[in-house]
Amino acid sequence: MKQLQPIIILAILCLLYGCSSSHSENEKNDSSPEIVVGGLYYSQNNEGTFSVMKVLAVDDMSVHIRSYANKFTAKPADVDPAVLTLGGLNDPAGIGIGHFPIAKEGFLQDNPVFIKQVPVTDEELEGYRMYLEAMQGAN
C-alpha cells in the first residue's frame, strides 16, 4: 500500500492541477518566461506568507516541482537550501511535497519569483523517477 500512496497522490494532483496533454499550437509557442531546472522560486500563499519550491525537471507540458514546508513572513531574497525541509505530520512547519507535476500554465499562474539556481540531487529525483515509471506503465 505504501508504494501506491505516491501514485494516488500523483493522480489527485494531476486532477487538481491539470496534467492535461491537450494544448493548442499557440500555447506551445507562447513566450512564457523560462522555467529553470534547479530553480528555487517563491510564491505568496493565501494567508500572506511565502512558500518556496524547487523545479526538479521540465517537460513539454509540465513542471515537476518539490514544495517545501517552510513558510516565510517576508519575500525571501535568498534561501539556503540546507534549511528547506519537507516537514511532516507532527512538524510545526507543516508538510511539503517531494515531487508533483503541474501544468506549466498552472505553475506560472501563481507568479513564482525566481530566487536562484541550485543543483538537483539524485535523492530529490526519486519521486520524479517513480512518476516516469508509472507513466511508462500506463502506456
Side-chain angles (χ1 to χ4, degrees), residues 52-132:
V52 173
M53 62 197 120
K54 181 177 185 176
V55 174
L56 303 175
V58 179
D59 60 35
D60 288 341
M61 300 172 298
S62 305
V63 180
H64 298 265
I65 62 176
R66 181 178 193 90
S67 178
Y68 295 100
N70 309 66
K71 302 289 183 266
F72 298 86
T73 56
K75 296 176 182 179
D78 191 19
V79 175
D80 177 1
V83 303
L84 296 173
T85 177
L86 294 179
L89 290 176
N90 297 320
D91 191 320
I95 300 174
I97 302 172
H99 164 263
F100 68 95
I102 183 170
K104 287 180 181 178
E105 296 81 11
F107 177 77
L108 295 171
Q109 185 176 13
D110 282 341
N111 299 312
V113 177
F114 179 79
I115 303 169
K116 67 182 178 183
Q117 186 176 20
V118 297
V120 177
T121 67
D122 193 51
E123 179 184 338
E124 291 171 324
L125 291 172
E126 183 179 333
Y128 176 63
R129 285 191 297 273
M130 290 172 55
Y131 163 84
L132 291 176

Side-chain angles (χ1 to χ4, degrees), residues 9-23:
I9 291 170
L10 172 65
I12 292 168
L13 290 170
C14 283
L15 289 172
L16 292 174
Y17 291 104
C19 295
S20 169
S21 62
S22 60
H23 295 280

